[in-house]
Structures are given as structure tokens and as C-alpha cells.
Amino acid sequence: MSDDERETKPFKFVTAGFDARFPHQNQTKHCWQNYVDYYKCINAKGEDFAPCRQFYLAFRSLCPNPWIDRWDTQRENGNFPVKLDS
């Protein structure tokens, strides 16, 4: 297949929008807060509750994968530093 025959599809790059609570360049707290908010949201409203998805998209965009893996492991082991079920 030559370059002329290759079909390109549009790609929309999406990242977390501006949040006035986190106005500075360092987005570590923004990442953390969206991770916590997502799991609090799905624990309160269920995984099918559409507004929870915004938190998911934000933390997946902002947080490095090793952090997410570590936090998931901590949640599974019951030693996550935040209570997510309230």
C-alpha cells in the first residue's frame, strides 16, 4: 500500500481541561483528586453513571501509569490512604 492509498482518519487529542482549583503548571494534585473523585463517584453512583467518566478521562490523561497501577494495588489491598466509599 502506497502513501497515496493510505486512508487517514481524524484524531482528536483530548486532555483534562482547566480546573481553577489547580491553576499552576504542576498537575500532581489535579491527577490525584480526579483519581479519588472517580472512585468516590462510581462507589456512590455506579459505573454506569455518565458524569463519573469525566473524572476517569481526566486522571487517565494527567496521571502517569505507574502511579495509577500503584494506587489500584493499594485499593485492592485495602491500604489506600483515602476512604472512597463515603
Side-chain angles (χ1 to χ4, degrees):
M1 177 183 287
S2 71
D3 287 337
D4 295 333
E5 297 172 357
R6 189 173 297 171
E7 180 183 345
T8 59
K9 297 180 181 179
F11 176 77
K12 183 179 178 186
F13 183 76
V14 179
T15 188
F18 177 76
D19 188 332
R21 298 175 298 169
F22 311 102
H24 304 291
Q25 185 173 0
N26 185 343
Q27 294 294 299
T28 302
K29 284 186 175 183
H30 194 183
C31 153
W32 167 258
Q33 192 61 55
N34 278 287
Y35 182 88
V36 169
D37 287 346
Y38 173 72
Y39 283 101
K40 282 186 175 185
C41 184
I42 65 168
N43 286 337
K45 302 289 186 176
E47 290 189 28
D48 296 331
F49 189 62
C52 295
R53 183 148 173 81
Q54 180 59 36
F55 297 124
Y56 176 81
L57 294 173
F59 88 74
R60 292 300 301 178
S61 171
L62 293 169
C63 301
N65 288 334
W67 292 7
I68 295 170
D69 294 341
R70 183 176 66 225
W71 296 336
D72 288 345
T73 302
Q74 288 175 341
R75 280 187 313 101
E76 292 166 5
N77 294 336
N79 60 354
F80 190 68
V82 174
K83 187 175 178 184
L84 298 174
D85 58 357
S86 60

